[in-house]
């Protein structure tokens, strides 16, 4: 590796860590921060068998770049001096291993995601935003408790498949992306989509968008490029409001 390549990778690492820390602040801002549950990870561009994650039992609203922990696929802390959430490692390590294209993954116990997950159903194409997940999310329907076994992490990764998201029955939501921007926007969008469908079904019987139009809309609103565009104003908001996370 030459000096230019190394400098470029160092810059990419810095950018990913900043986006990761900022994403925890955004999750807290949106109320996706219940107790010590939830984790977002991003692969390290230099040590490719490792990923950055939040320290265990640290509130999302307090996380800074300097607090992030680097862990390998065996669960060993490579950088950092804080403990890692065991369930977070179990789920995310298997996802990153099964999906080399998944640079980032996000999971949190958000209210509407948890509520929708209890129904054991896929989201339906009832509005434009929900179409981002049309034929592009999985369903893991085997809740057995806190995920501490690697084989369960592997089953979750299998249920996710090649999709951008997965509903974990009786548990919550999981999203992935080829960038942290994608993984975060898909989570925010999916949580809101769960909220909208719960409200709509409480009021009556939603009208579905046709298969042809749902597929067309999915191509418009479900692309990586669109996710990055939607993440951009969220990033600007958190940088301006809470710049201390960059430390």
């Amino acid at each position: 590796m030459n000096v230019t390549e190394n400098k470029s990778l160092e810059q990419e690492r810095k950018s990913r860590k900043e986006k990761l820390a900022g994403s925890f602040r955004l999750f807290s801002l949106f109320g996706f921060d219940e107790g010590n549950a939830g984790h977002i990870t991003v692969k390290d561009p230099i040590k490719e068998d490792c990923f950055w994650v939040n320290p265990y039992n640290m509130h999302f609203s307090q996380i800074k770049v300097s607090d992030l922990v680097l862990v390998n696929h065996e669960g060993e802390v490579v950088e950092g001096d804080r403990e890692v959430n065991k369930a977070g490692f179990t789920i995310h390590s298997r996802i990153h291993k099964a999906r080399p294209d998944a640079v980032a993954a996000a999971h949190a116990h958000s209210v509407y995601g948890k509520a929708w997950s209890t129904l054991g159903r896929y989201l339906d194409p009832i509005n434009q935003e929900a179409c981002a997940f049309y034929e592009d999310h999985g369903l893991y329907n085997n809740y057995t408790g806190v995920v501490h076994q690697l084989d369960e992490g592997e089953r979750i990764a299998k249920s996710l498949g090649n999709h951008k998201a997965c509903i974990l029955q009786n548990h919550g939501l999981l999203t992935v992306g080829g960038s942290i921007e994608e993984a975060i926007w898909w989570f925010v969008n999916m949580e809101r989509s769960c909220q909208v469908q719960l409200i709509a079904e409480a009021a009556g019987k939603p009208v579905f968008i046709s298969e042809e139009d749902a597929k067309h809309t999915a191509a418009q609103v479900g692309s990586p490029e669109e996710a990055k565009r939607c993440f951009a104003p969220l990033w600007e908001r958190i940088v301006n409001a809470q710049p201390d996370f960059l430390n």
Side-chain angles (χ1 to χ4, degrees), residues 23-35 37 59-61 108-114 187-188 191-192:
S23 294
F24 286 116
R25 297 296 185 94
L26 283 169
F27 268 33
S28 182
L29 193 65
F30 295 149
F32 308 159
D33 55 358
E34 187 167 310
H59 198 272
F60 286 2
S61 67
H109 293 186
S110 52
V111 173
Y112 296 102
K114 284 193 298 183
F187 192 96
V188 172
E191 168 70 4
R192 296 292 187 254

Side-chain angles (χ1 to χ4, degrees), residues 35-76:
N36 55 27
H39 10 85
I40 310 171
T41 55
V42 64
K43 291 171 63 175
D44 186 79
I46 299 174
K47 299 177 179 179
E48 297 183 349
D49 62 338
C50 299
F51 55 88
W52 294 94
V53 65
N54 49 306
Y56 181 55
N57 230 27
M58 186 173 192
H59 198 272
F60 286 2
S61 67
Q62 303 302 305
I63 293 176
K64 301 177 181 179
V65 169
S66 56
D67 296 313
L68 299 174
V69 179
L70 184 66
V71 62
N72 63 25
H73 288 178
E74 284 67 54
E76 301 167 333

Side-chain angles (χ1 to χ4, degrees), residues 110-120 170-173 191 194 198:
S110 52
V111 173
Y112 296 102
K114 284 193 298 183
W116 180 258
S117 76
T118 66
L119 304 179
N170 305 109
H171 190 170
L173 308 178
E191 168 70 4
C194 290
L198 286 165

Side-chain angles (χ1 to χ4, degrees), residues 132-133 164 176-189 219-235:
F133 305 101
K164 62 164 64 82
V176 299
S179 65
I180 192 161
E181 294 95 326
E182 294 166 57
I184 297 307
W185 174 248
W186 297 141
F187 192 96
V188 172
N189 188 13
Q220 294 176 311
V221 302
S223 69
E225 294 74 22
E226 180 64 12
K228 291 175 183 177
R229 283 191 289 267
C230 291
F231 178 85
L234 300 181
W235 173 249

